[in-house]
């Protein structure tokens, strides 16, 4: 793939996150914090309902990366969790090329990553470096 | 009470975990993964992989294998009700595959506060290594502790 600085890569849209997805992800990821699974416990903690694991959104963003680049090209990947994703939230993952540099003898692109919900809330921001 | 910065430098007990095909397939299903290399051995091999790849964020699951993954936080006197996952980072050295046994060793590398102590941050770096002790990835996680009623 030929990349240029400023290029927006194809976005990945995720269907509404169901409660069963939260349960599946809890088992698969090992993050069994009940705040993501137990409605009553979430309410007792002052939340209106359960909400998605932050690492679930990070995994969706990783799918965007591995859809676009072979995984062995991925050098680094980091995110900041900005807002929670409520159950039934519909995340859209996007990536924009912010720089292309020569590092350690290989050409690398830095991508700015953002996950937003249908209402415009930004839930995650981050960056990834991929070898081209 | 503020978190004591004395804990910086503490090395937590190592956790080892077998990368199992079934578990990776379950992770693929939970994350809506459509690329078959992440769940199907034949698809992975046809794409040139020795086995099913461990996807980029699955390495985080190793720490979660601990009987109490947040023991380090409770030992610092942190009430888990007020804890949020603030940041997470992965620096990769090589890909890992099903069939490998990986080990995660975490160190508390920084503790700091903002807004007059209303928010406290604990930074943990985790070295993931293979059976030969060679690096696979380095993880950096930041947890945020909210202290309602403290600071501005």
């Amino acid at each position: 793939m030929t990349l240029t600085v400023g290029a927006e890569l194809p976005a990945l849209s995720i269907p509404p996150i169901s409660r069963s997805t939260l349960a599946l992800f809890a088992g698969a990821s090992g993050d069994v914090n009940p705040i993501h699974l137990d409605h009553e416990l979430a309410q007792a903690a002052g939340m209106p309902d359960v909400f998605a694991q932050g690492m679930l959104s990070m995994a969706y963003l990783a799918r965007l990366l591995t859809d676009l680049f072979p995984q062995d090209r991925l050098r680094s990947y980091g995110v900041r969790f900005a807002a929670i994703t409520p159950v039934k939230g519909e995340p859209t993952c996007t990536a924009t090329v912010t720089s292309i540099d020569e590092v350690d003898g290989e050409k690398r692109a830095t991508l700015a990553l953002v996950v937003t919900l249908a209402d415009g809330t930004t839930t995650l921001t981050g960056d990834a470096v991929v070898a081209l | 009470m503020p978190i004591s910065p004395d804990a910086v430098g503490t090395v937590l007990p190592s956790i080892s975990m077998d990368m199992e095909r079934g578990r990776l397939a379950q992770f693929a299903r939970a994350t809506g993964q459509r690329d078959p290399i992440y769940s199907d051995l034949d698809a992975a091999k046809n794409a040139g992989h020795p086995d099913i790849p461990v996807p980029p964020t699955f390495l985080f699951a190793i720490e979660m294998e601990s009987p109490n993954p947040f023991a380090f936080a409770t030992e610092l006197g942190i009430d888990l009700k007020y804890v949020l996952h603030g940041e997470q980072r992965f620096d990769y050295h090589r890909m890992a595959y099903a069939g490998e046994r990986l080990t995660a060793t975490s160190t508390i590398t920084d503790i700091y506060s903002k807004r007059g102590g209303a928010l406290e941050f604990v930074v943990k770096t985790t070295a993931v290594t293979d059976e030969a002790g060679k690096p696979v990835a380095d993880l950096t996680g930041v947890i945020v502790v909210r202290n309602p009623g403290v600071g501005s």
Side-chain angles (χ1 to χ4, degrees):
Chain A
M1 187 186 325
T2 306
L3 294 183
T4 52
V5 173
E8 287 180 28
L9 303 178
L12 175 66
S13 295
I14 304 296
I17 297 172
S18 67
R19 291 172 202 278
S20 56
T21 291
L22 300 187
L24 275 175
F25 187 74
S29 69
D31 179 355
V32 294
N33 185 339
I35 197 97
H36 305 298
L37 304 172
D38 184 332
H39 179 74
E40 286 167 18
L41 186 136
Q43 288 198 321
M47 303 302 300
D49 199 346
V50 296
F51 55 96
Q53 297 91 349
M55 290 303 289
L56 176 60
S57 291
M58 193 172 187
Y60 289 140
L61 250 180
R63 275 183 53 203
L64 172 76
L65 296 172
T66 57
D67 280 353
L68 297 169
F69 307 95
Q71 192 184 325
D72 65 358
R73 304 284 182 84
L74 191 57
R75 297 290 173 263
S76 66
Y77 169 37
V79 303
R80 182 184 296 265
F81 300 101
I84 63 163
T85 301
V87 70
K88 301 197 177 74
E90 294 176 56
T92 297
C93 305
T94 61
T96 307
V97 181
T98 54
S99 65
I100 295 176
D101 307 286
E102 187 95 12
V103 182
D104 295 342
E106 68 181 10
K107 202 170 165 190
R108 294 180 180 177
T110 301
L111 312 175
L113 309 170
V114 182
V115 180
T116 51
L117 299 177
D119 68 2
T121 305
T122 296
T123 55
L124 236 80
T125 59
D127 61 84
V129 174
V130 291
L132 301 177
Chain B
M1 212 170 74
I3 305 167
S4 167
D6 293 349
V8 171
T10 304
V11 180
L12 307 176
S14 294
I15 314 285
S16 295
M17 179 182 181
D18 292 316
M19 298 294 110
E20 296 168 341
R21 288 175 191 159
R23 178 75 178 267
L24 296 179
Q26 191 192 352
F27 189 84
R29 188 155 72 100
T31 57
Q33 179 57 262
R34 289 184 293 244
D35 185 341
I37 68 164
Y38 291 103
S39 53
D40 182 284
L41 181 60
D42 290 336
K45 287 193 164 170
N46 287 337
H49 297 285
D51 209 308
I52 293 174
V54 174
T57 64
F58 186 79
L59 297 167
F60 186 79
I62 305 170
E63 294 168 71
M64 296 292 117
E65 283 296 284
S66 161
N68 182 359
F70 296 102
F72 76 96
T74 43
E75 280 166 22
L76 291 172
I78 295 168
D79 183 343
L80 295 180
K81 260 205 313 288
Y82 299 114
V83 167
L84 297 169
H85 196 177
E87 296 175 38
Q88 185 63 44
R89 168 157 213 96
F90 297 82
D91 290 285
Y92 300 102
H93 300 290
R94 70 161 175 89
M95 280 179 65
Y97 291 94
E100 292 196 78
R101 183 170 179 79
L102 301 181
T103 298
T105 307
S106 299
T107 307
I108 296 172
T109 47
D110 202 5
I111 293 173
Y112 57 94
S113 66
K114 287 184 182 173
R115 292 192 217 160
L119 295 175
E120 292 183 291
F121 299 80
V122 179
V123 183
K124 192 170 61 134
T125 61
T126 303
V128 175
T129 52
D130 61 20
E131 283 155 293
K134 295 242 165 60
V136 172
D138 296 305
L139 281 58
T140 308
V142 181
I143 66 163
V144 184
V145 186
R146 293 180 294 131
N147 294 312
V150 176
S152 53

